[in-house]
Amino acid sequence: MKLYSQISGEGTPLIIMHGVFGMGDNWQTLGRKWSKEYEVHLLDMRNHGRSPHSDVFSYEAMSDDLLEYMEEHNIAKANIIGHSMGGKVAMHFAALNPDKVIKLVVADIGPKSYKPHHQQILEALTSLDLPNISSRGEAEEQFGIHDPGTKQFLLKSLYWKEKGELAWRFNVPVIAREIEKVGEALPPNAIYNGDVLFVRGGKSWYIKDEEWDDILGHFPDAQLETIEGAGHWLHAEKPKEFYEIVNEFV
């Protein structure tokens, strides 16, 4: 799997992985800031963005994709940031390839199992009749997501596949079929003893105080920072705070 990426800057590699339904473009603003100090790699994960689509969609496969990407780009070690699904990939990868990680940042996701909770988004994606829509404005009008932030986030992945034909950059059928895998827990024996920073949003429910002991069971040297006033998309809602917390750690 040859992942698409945007690379900028020079220095120690910093790899950033987005969440489900996202793409590397979501991290461009922070990526530009970090590129002044690091060689930044904004990845499109498999079945997302401009990376290839595949019937295989699992954390094992995405972890292998990252290893292949690092080997292809001659990256011996990297600082790695992963948000949500990308954070789960980062956790898997670090446990399997500890020698490839300098420091690990996991944004608003834990190693536990999460029940599927993207049904509304999937229903909206699958019910949008793209073959009979002739403009982005029409697609936006018919798109069944009411939260403005979520709506705009998802519509960033809508593109003109060819003249007169709109399409989603992410692989809707496979993600819908495999959505339970996105919530899978880290295997019990997955342990990484290196430096890890978990960053959560103060308004998010993804990492709860009572789950910290479980996190330490997988990541004994983990630290936790909370960005007050931020939800799950903490890097987009509070980019300055996220940048400063991560910069100090890395």
Side-chain angles (χ1 to χ4, degrees):
M1 176 67 68
K2 302 285 186 184
L3 297 181
Y4 175 85
S5 68
Q6 300 174 62
I7 305 171
S8 59
E10 296 179 354
T12 303
L14 172 64
I15 296 173
I16 303 177
M17 295 182 290
H18 61 80
V20 68
F21 302 119
M23 55 183 169
D25 280 359
N26 303 143
W27 287 82
Q28 277 190 337
T29 301
L30 284 168
R32 276 194 294 271
K33 291 189 74 171
W34 274 313
S35 68
K36 296 172 185 176
E37 303 171 62
Y38 302 96
E39 181 184 85
V40 176
H41 297 251
L42 304 180
L43 303 191
D44 284 356
M45 310 306 287
R46 69 166 55 206
N47 290 319
H48 289 79
R50 293 172 175 83
S51 283
H53 288 186
S54 168
D55 284 337
V56 179
F57 190 58
S58 67
Y59 285 118
E60 291 77 9
M62 288 186 277
S63 179
D64 288 344
D65 291 344
L66 177 55
L67 181 60
E68 181 182 347
Y69 179 87
M70 291 179 71
E71 289 172 348
E72 181 188 354
H73 289 82
N74 298 311
I75 300 172
K77 281 188 169 188
N79 292 301
I80 298 175
I81 300 173
H83 171 246
S84 200
M85 180 192 77
K88 273 274 180 76
V89 177
M91 288 186 264
H92 273 267
F93 181 83
L96 292 169
N97 306 279
D99 57 322
K100 295 284 187 181
V101 183
I102 303 171
K103 289 194 174 183
L104 182 67
V105 178
V106 179
D108 212 58
I109 195 78
K112 72 172 188 177
S113 173
Y114 294 84
K115 291 180 181 179
H117 51 278
H118 298 94
Q119 283 82 357
Q120 184 188 2
I121 289 175
L122 288 168
E123 286 172 11
L125 292 172
T126 53
S127 63
L128 195 62
D129 188 16
L130 291 180
N132 292 310
I133 291 175
S134 58
S135 71
R136 291 185 63 89
E138 190 180 345
E140 185 171 351
E141 199 173 292
Q142 294 184 21
F143 196 34
I145 296 292
H146 302 296
D147 176 68
T150 304
K151 190 172 191 174
Q152 289 308 312
F153 167 76
L154 293 167
L155 287 171
K156 284 180 181 178
S157 288
L158 190 64
Y159 76 111
W160 292 104
K161 188 175 181 180
E162 54 187 63
K163 189 175 181 180
E165 184 183 351
L166 284 165
W168 295 109
R169 288 203 180 277
F170 34 71
N171 189 342
V172 176
V174 168
I175 295 173
R177 189 189 73 210
E178 305 290 357
I179 195 64
E180 288 194 9
K181 290 184 178 178
V182 175
E184 282 184 349
L186 205 63
N189 61 347
I191 297 170
Y192 174 68
N193 292 303
D195 294 328
V196 187
L197 173 65
F198 284 81
V199 188
R200 66 180 177 180
K203 297 195 296 184
S204 174
W205 53 269
Y206 276 76
I207 299 178
K208 298 176 181 176
D209 290 343
E210 59 267 27
E211 295 161 1
W212 189 241
D213 285 345
D214 179 53
I215 291 173
L216 290 175
H218 290 282
F219 305 98
D221 281 343
Q223 305 172 40
L224 176 65
E225 293 282 353
T226 303
I227 299 179
E228 297 300 340
H232 184 54
W233 284 288
L234 65 178
H235 58 290
E237 296 171 30
K238 300 276 186 176
K240 182 177 182 290
E241 292 86 342
F242 186 84
Y243 175 81
E244 289 173 352
I245 286 171
V246 172
N247 231 30
E248 185 177 344
F249 174 74
V250 174

